[in-house]
């Protein structure tokens, strides 16, 4: 894009949320209308794509998604127009930044070269100052942060002033009423189990508890759950193996499995998703991260009888 | 990571824990007491596994101790337990010697003392 007169830079930067800033993010702080905006979603991970599609559609946006950066480039080249793009950073073939460079290098006539781009990147990847993008967002992406970032990029800083909130307010205490879920907490460590139960109670959830993988499966034999919060390393049967067995045994059950693990290793998330888990939170559990993960979980049949979500 | 650089008790972890439960210090104190009541067993199981040179038996108690120590801010103990957990997983007997068990025991005592001081200082 050297020599082009139309390099587009928004003065918006959403830095990667450092761990100590996570507590400040709240669901939908910005009251902005995103309805009808077209969003291009490119992520090689099908589960992540599904989550991004569901979230943006919920705000009335019109998502179009692909796992292939080259297909996305093809759409843009063919003249398809979008208001904003969400690119995963780590993808095979073409990563999110390379894809951004390619988009910027498109002929300027149709405007795609100036498409606002948000890069979604995993923990540990630092913001790059010179990247030709509008904003960075840390994964796993919280709905509130995604909403606020899109609103800020599309509508500018003026709408993006967060509503003031009391600093010490705990996470959304009515989430369990607004988004009811039957939760099974699979955690063997008594200290962490106690903490998780407390954090769930604060969100107005009343989970059942299993102390290892075998108990988890026994609990699922007994009754239906919408969400399993699954410690990855449990005795008897670990979370990955328990998940594989659950998926093999009940392929049609829509149980949403969220991994909880202290290992911040890069391959962990992939291992969890490969085993059939839907989402991932890190330990020690933070209330906002937990709330965001539960918000991403689809409400179960029993719950959606009462309320329509997603 | 050098374990020696880590604090016996990282109070910022406890502060954050308190904030995450809406400033309910009683809950934090309860959690610490659950940890103190439970952790000693894991230290004993680690010692027993090391004395028996049974690296398989080392993994579970070291893992549990690592995880709950991290939750209550006993950072150095968490790091030592983590080392032992991985020594156990990888069957590295040289890294799971009686001297390691003794060091873990000493760190457990130090962390317990620091946590008790913290709870009494917090006025609970």
């Amino acid at each position: 894009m050297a020599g082009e007169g139309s390099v587009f830079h928004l003065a918006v930067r959403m830095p990667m949320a450092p761990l100590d800033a996570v507590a400040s993010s709240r669901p939908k702080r910005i009251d902005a209308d995103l309805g009808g905006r077209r969003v291009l979603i490119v992520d090689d991970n099908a589960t992540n794509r599904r989550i991004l599609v569901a979230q943006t559609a919920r705000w009335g946006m019109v998502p179009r998604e692909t796992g292939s950066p080259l297909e996305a480039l093809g759409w843009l080249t063919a003249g398809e127009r979008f208001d904003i793009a969400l690119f995963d950073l780590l993808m095979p073939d073409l990563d999110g930044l390379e894809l951004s460079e390619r988009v910027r290098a498109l002929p300027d006539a149709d405007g795609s070269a100036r498409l606002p781009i948000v890069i979604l990147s995993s923990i540990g990847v630092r913001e790059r100052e010179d990247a030709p993008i509008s904003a960075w967002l840390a994964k796993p992406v919280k709905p509130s942060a995604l909403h606020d970032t899109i609103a800020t990029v599309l509508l500018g800083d003026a709408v993006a002033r967060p509503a003031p909130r009391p600093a010490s307010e705990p996470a959304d205490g009515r989430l369990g009423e607004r988004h009811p879920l039957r939760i099974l907490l699979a955690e063997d460590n008594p200290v962490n189990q106690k903490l998780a139960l407390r954090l769930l109670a604060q969100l107005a959830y009343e989970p059942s508890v299993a102390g290892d993988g075998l108990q988890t499966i026994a609990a699922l034999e007994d009754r239906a759950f919408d969400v399993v919060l699954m410690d990855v390393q449990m005795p008897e049967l670990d979370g990955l193996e328990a998940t594989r067995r659950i998926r093999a045994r009940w392929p049609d059950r829509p149980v949403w499995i969220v991994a909880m693990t202290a290992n911040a290793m890069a391959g962990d998330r992939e291992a969890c998703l490969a085993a059939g888990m839907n989402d991932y939170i890190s330990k020690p559990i933070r209330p906002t991260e937990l709330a965001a993960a539960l918000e991403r979980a689809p409400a179960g049949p029993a719950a959606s009888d009462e309320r329509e979500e997603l | 990571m050098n374990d020696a650089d880590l604090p016996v008790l990282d109070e910022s972890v406890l502060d954050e824990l308190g904030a995450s439960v809406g400033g309910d210090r009683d809950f934090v104190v309860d959690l610490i007491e659950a940890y103190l009541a439970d952790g000693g067993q894991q230290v004993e199981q680690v010692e027993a596994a090391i004395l028996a040179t049974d690296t398989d038996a080392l993994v579970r108690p070291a893992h549990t101790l690592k995880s709950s120590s991290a939750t209550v801010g006993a950072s150095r103990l968490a790091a030592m337990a983590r080392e032992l957990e991985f020594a156990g997983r990888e069957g590295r007997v040289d890294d799971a010697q009686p001297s390691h068990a003794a060091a873990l025991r000493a760190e457990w005592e130090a962390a317990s003392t620091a946590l008790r001081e913290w709870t009494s200082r917090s006025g609970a």
Side-chain angles (χ1 to χ4, degrees):
Chain A
M1 63 194 250
E4 291 282 341
S6 56
V7 177
F8 188 73
H9 272 291
L10 274 175
V12 177
R13 288 214 164 260
M14 304 291 268
M16 298 269 305
L19 291 178
D20 59 358
V22 166
S24 67
S25 97
R26 306 271 175 212
K28 268 204 182 185
R29 289 171 305 170
I30 299 173
D31 189 18
D33 182 13
L34 303 178
R37 305 278 187 154
R38 292 177 50 82
V39 54
L40 171 61
I41 294 165
V42 187
D43 190 328
D44 58 305
N45 182 303
T47 301
N48 292 348
R49 278 206 309 278
R50 210 171 66 207
I51 292 168
L52 292 170
V53 165
Q55 283 170 356
T56 52
R58 204 163 151 188
W59 304 318
M61 299 185 77
V62 183
R64 177 134 199 226
E65 43 103 11
T66 173
S68 157
L70 294 175
E71 187 176 29
L73 269 177
W75 292 343
L76 292 168
T77 310
E80 209 168 320
R81 301 292 296 269
F82 297 92
D83 297 298
I84 189 166
L86 308 177
F87 295 162
D88 186 38
L89 179 62
L90 295 177
M91 295 186 287
D93 300 335
L94 209 58
D95 75 26
L97 286 174
E98 289 164 344
L99 177 58
S100 305
E101 308 272 1
R102 297 277 289 268
V103 170
R104 294 287 173 258
L106 289 171
D108 191 49
D110 58 6
S112 286
R114 286 169 298 180
L115 177 68
I117 296 170
V118 177
I119 297 278
L120 313 177
S121 70
S122 302
I123 291 155
V125 182
R126 285 284 133 205
E127 182 173 353
R128 230 184 65 184
E129 281 302 321
D130 57 340
I133 59 159
S134 303
W136 291 83
L137 203 50
K139 284 165 66 175
V141 177
K142 290 179 254 322
S144 55
L146 179 65
H147 178 276
D148 291 1
T149 301
I150 292 174
T152 307
V153 168
L154 282 180
L155 306 168
D157 264 330
V159 298
R161 208 173 308 113
R165 294 260 185 173
S168 65
E169 187 197 13
D172 185 355
R174 308 189 90 82
L175 185 60
E177 294 165 29
R178 192 158 56 74
H179 189 55
L181 296 166
R182 295 160 299 176
I183 298 173
L184 177 62
L185 173 67
E187 164 68 80
D188 67 294
N189 182 314
V191 171
N192 293 339
Q193 192 185 90
K194 194 175 162 82
L195 177 59
L197 285 173
R198 167 61 186 251
L199 297 179
L200 286 165
Q202 283 177 186
L203 297 168
Y205 290 108
E206 291 173 20
S208 302
V209 179
D212 61 43
L214 292 176
Q215 283 181 25
T216 304
I217 289 173
L220 284 162
E221 277 168 359
D222 205 39
R223 48 174 283 211
F225 289 95
D226 303 311
V227 174
V228 179
L229 293 173
M230 183 87 84
D231 182 35
V232 172
Q233 290 177 299
M234 291 186 292
E236 305 304 329
L237 191 63
D238 72 26
L240 296 176
E241 186 54 31
T243 300
R244 284 185 207 106
R245 292 197 196 176
I246 290 166
R247 294 306 185 210
R249 186 152 165 197
W250 297 290
D252 299 326
R253 266 212 211 174
V255 57
W256 185 264
I257 303 180
V258 181
M260 304 186 291
T261 173
N263 297 359
M265 283 180 258
D268 264 19
R269 187 183 171 83
E270 285 66 31
C272 291
L273 298 175
M277 294 182 172
N278 302 93
D279 203 350
Y280 176 105
I281 60 176
S282 56
K283 288 167 77 174
I285 303 169
R286 286 151 204 282
T288 45
E289 204 184 341
L290 177 64
L294 293 174
E295 242 182 319
R296 286 193 289 266
S304 53
D305 285 348
E306 300 160 39
R307 212 170 288 256
E308 191 58 39
E309 283 280 330
L310 270 181
Chain B
M1 186 195 315
N2 188 349
D3 296 356
D5 294 340
L6 291 167
V8 173
L9 178 62
D10 182 348
E11 293 191 9
S12 71
V13 173
L14 292 173
D15 292 342
E16 197 178 339
L17 197 57
S20 75
V21 294
D24 183 351
R25 286 184 88 79
D26 287 351
F27 175 81
V28 178
V29 169
D30 277 356
L31 198 70
I32 288 171
E33 275 164 10
Y35 169 79
L36 292 173
D38 200 54
Q41 288 172 43
Q42 282 124 36
V43 176
E44 279 168 26
Q45 288 166 11
V46 166
E47 288 171 332
I50 287 176
L51 287 178
T53 56
D54 183 349
T55 46
D56 286 345
L58 178 59
V59 174
R60 172 53 43 189
H63 171 76
T64 303
L65 187 63
K66 170 198 77 176
S67 187
S68 42
S69 297
T71 298
V72 299
S75 303
R76 197 153 73 193
L77 183 57
M80 292 170 77
R82 181 177 190 276
E83 292 298 324
L84 287 170
E85 179 192 348
F86 279 85
R89 277 184 204 289
E90 292 157 17
R92 285 186 274 112
V93 176
D94 286 356
D95 295 322
Q97 290 293 308
S99 61
H100 296 100
L104 187 79
R105 163 69 64 184
E107 187 60 32
W108 160 252
E109 300 296 345
S112 302
T113 302
L115 282 164
R116 287 203 185 88
E117 277 172 17
W118 188 90
T119 52
S120 60
R121 226 184 321 133
S122 78

